[in-house]
Amino acid sequence: MAVETRVLDDNCEAITGWGRTAPTLARLLRPRGHAEAVEAVLACEPRGAVARGLGRAYGDAAQNAGGTVLDMTGLDRILAADTAAGLVVCEAGVSLHRLMEALLPLGWFVPVTPGTRYVTVGGAIAADVHGGNHHVSGSFGRHVTALELLTADGEIRTVTPGTPLFDATTGGMGLTGVILSATLRLLPVETSLLRVDTERVPDLDELMARLTAGDHAYRYSVAWIDLLARGSATGRAVLTRADHAPYDTLPRRHRARRAPLAFRPVRLPAPPHLPGGLLGRTSVGLFNELRYRGAPRATTGRLQSVPAFFHPLDGVPHWNRLYGPGGLLPYQFVVPYGREETLRRIVRRLADRRCPSFPAVLKRFGAADPGWLSFPLPGWTLALDLPLGLPGLGRFLDELDEEVAGAGGRVYLARDSRVRPETLAAMYPRLDEFRELRAALDPRSVFTSDLARRLRLQPSRSSR
């Protein structure tokens, strides 16, 4: 899946995130090996550089106005796989899709996957992505046993867990250096199917109660919420929980018994560029009604493939076009356990405002991850995708930011394009440590991005 860019001349391209908002111009380079990556970093004056994978960060994390963007998808080799120990060594441009293709038939699965498999390993580490199993497995960085990092001085360092540089890099949005390769710990599986339990839930309070009571019994747990429902139905949801299916639980005549580890993604045609988009209040309201009414009251043990369960939107290439030329504005936050009233109030405000989010997903997080800018903390996380053209949306989300920060929560940088720097400081208590490490490691801000400038995550460039 190609990076979303538009070529303007031989050296300059307009680049956006997956939300397709606020494009900026940068020189796009595609290194094919370590030597080319080192050369590009040492020659990236005066506006610095940032690494980019498959362009699935929604906002401006992989943009660099007037500078260099390194497209790392050319470093796409799986270097070694230890199928006895469950370890794989791969270059940073390898996608999670490619890992699944190669490793699932051997009985191994990626330890954490977000809602798309079209992210690179380097991007997954830089954003410290999470999935529906965070309450069990934590985020992606917890399963990295080592990584190679190209720093601003042109040195390639081997970085291991438990060190400040590792904790600054996992979740550091590419601002400590260019991740070149990584060693990952994998998850053993017997089949490529999930045993899925699904139930309709009438409101938000009941949803939180069921998640709290039952999550410990499942590896994966996620709830789709209807944010257009109001009154007694506010927060009504479809709750889906699953585990990898053991081979001996497959029905006797199921086709998967002949090829239990087959990986069979389905791809549909990409939607056209739609002038007004399809996802307004009316269409999303209809979808939500059909989704909720069409879900079973309760079913157990239904078998689903890996693509169907984890990545349903990946079957539609460039589904972000459904939001029209204005693009989409994602918003994801987490609030700690004990601050459920904040979550209730935000869901009510979203419902009262009739925000047409497609989709809207609620999950529970487990223990906080060690990354200094890693997003998860023990609590409730809600992820939304909103059409950018909603009246007053920016001011409304600023108000939600204040509620989230006041409750001790935070927003997710990989899905952000508009949070204010002063608000971010209240959300991430180790932000100053991150800035100090960057100042020592990269005093001239060789590694920078539109996000870094917007959120003031870099030292002064006056010395350059």
Side-chain angles (χ1 to χ4, degrees):
M1 189 167 287
V3 174
E4 187 145 345
T5 61
R6 181 163 55 92
V7 178
L8 298 183
D9 56 44
D10 290 340
N11 298 309
C12 191
E13 302 190 17
I15 299 175
T16 72
W18 188 247
R20 302 172 61 237
T21 60
T24 55
L25 305 181
R27 183 174 62 136
L28 189 67
L29 300 179
R30 297 178 174 89
R32 298 292 175 177
H34 290 193
E36 289 186 13
V38 170
E39 181 182 0
V41 166
L42 293 178
C44 69
E45 303 279 357
R47 290 281 289 178
V50 67
R52 181 182 179 95
L54 287 167
R56 285 306 186 103
Y58 279 74
D60 52 1
Q63 298 173 213
N64 183 25
T68 300
V69 171
L70 302 178
D71 176 354
M72 300 301 294
T73 56
L75 278 74
D76 60 354
R77 295 178 299 163
I78 297 176
L79 302 172
D82 185 337
T83 56
L87 294 172
V88 63
V89 184
C90 61
E91 292 182 317
V94 172
S95 68
L96 300 192
H97 174 85
R98 174 72 182 111
L99 288 182
M100 292 177 196
E101 279 187 322
L103 300 172
L104 193 49
L106 303 177
W108 295 98
F109 191 62
V110 295
V112 170
T113 177
T116 175
R117 61 186 180 274
Y118 293 109
V119 296
T120 62
V121 167
I125 296 170
D128 203 14
V129 299
H130 57 273
N133 61 340
H134 189 275
H135 62 290
V136 173
S137 302
S139 59
F140 198 87
R142 286 186 181 270
H143 306 275
V144 178
T145 64
L147 60 87
E148 285 188 305
L149 185 72
L150 169 59
T151 50
D153 55 6
E155 181 181 347
I156 298 175
R157 309 180 186 213
T158 298
V159 187
T160 55
T163 61
L165 184 53
F166 188 92
D167 292 343
T169 299
T170 51
M173 306 309 293
L175 298 176
T176 61
V178 178
I179 299 167
L180 298 175
S181 68
T183 302
L184 310 177
R185 199 166 35 241
L186 302 168
L187 176 71
V189 295
E190 295 181 19
T191 74
S192 60
L193 298 175
L194 286 295
R195 287 177 55 86
V196 182
D197 295 352
T198 303
E199 55 188 313
R200 281 199 325 227
V201 186
D203 58 58
L204 181 62
D205 283 343
E206 180 64 20
L207 175 61
M208 289 192 290
R210 294 190 196 185
L211 283 166
T212 300
D215 263 9
H216 68 279
Y218 298 87
R219 179 173 291 274
Y220 304 101
S221 181
V222 62
W224 165 86
I225 293 186
D226 180 1
L227 287 179
L228 293 176
R230 292 184 286 184
S232 62
T234 298
R236 70 177 182 175
V238 177
L239 174 59
T240 307
R241 296 183 283 196
D243 290 285
H244 293 279
Y247 181 80
D248 61 11
T249 65
L250 299 181
R252 182 170 298 178
R253 296 187 178 182
H254 198 283
R255 68 171 187 167
R257 280 191 168 270
R258 295 190 298 272
L261 291 165
F263 180 55
R264 300 186 181 96
V266 176
R267 300 279 283 172
L268 300 174
H273 289 281
L274 300 167
L278 284 179
L279 300 177
R281 288 189 178 96
T282 301
S283 58
V284 172
L286 177 60
F287 170 83
N288 286 356
E289 189 67 26
L290 294 173
R291 175 77 174 90
Y292 185 76
R293 298 296 177 188
R297 291 187 180 275
T299 60
T300 60
R302 180 186 176 192
L303 294 176
Q304 280 189 283
S305 68
V306 161
F309 179 78
F310 290 107
H311 314 119
L313 287 176
D314 280 348
V316 184
H318 300 290
W319 61 263
N320 54 347
R321 294 178 183 175
L322 297 173
Y323 287 82
L328 68 101
L329 188 66
Y331 186 69
Q332 184 169 4
F333 67 89
V334 58
V335 292
Y337 296 128
R339 303 305 297 265
E340 285 76 12
E341 187 51 42
T342 299
L343 176 63
R344 293 187 187 98
R345 187 164 51 249
I346 290 175
V347 169
R348 286 195 298 267
R349 291 187 66 181
L350 289 163
D352 289 343
R353 193 180 177 87
R354 309 289 289 160
C355 289
S357 177
F358 170 81
V361 174
L362 182 72
K363 294 182 287 195
R364 294 176 77 247
F365 281 156
D369 299 291
W372 293 351
L373 297 187
S374 291
F375 169 63
L377 54 81
W380 303 93
T381 180
L382 180 63
L384 319 172
D385 287 342
L386 300 168
L388 187 62
L390 293 177
L393 182 59
R395 182 174 180 179
F396 176 63
L397 293 181
D398 285 344
E399 293 172 0
L400 296 192
D401 286 345
E402 293 176 6
E403 286 208 53
V404 169
R410 58 184 59 150
V411 298
Y412 187 22
L413 293 183
R415 292 175 61 88
D416 174 63
S417 59
R418 28 90 24 218
V419 73
R420 297 178 179 179
E422 59 271 20
T423 307
L424 187 78
M427 295 176 170
Y428 285 88
R430 304 195 73 171
L431 191 59
D432 284 344
E433 290 177 74
F434 180 80
R435 288 191 177 112
E436 289 170 8
L437 181 142
R438 285 206 64 213
L441 184 69
D442 182 10
R444 296 181 300 148
S445 290
V446 170
F447 295 111
T448 189
S449 65
D450 291 354
L451 177 144
R453 283 185 283 267
R454 173 170 59 86
L455 296 178
R456 304 171 193 163
L457 295 179
Q458 57 198 48
S460 170
R461 297 176 64 85
S462 59
S463 61
R464 295 199 63 171

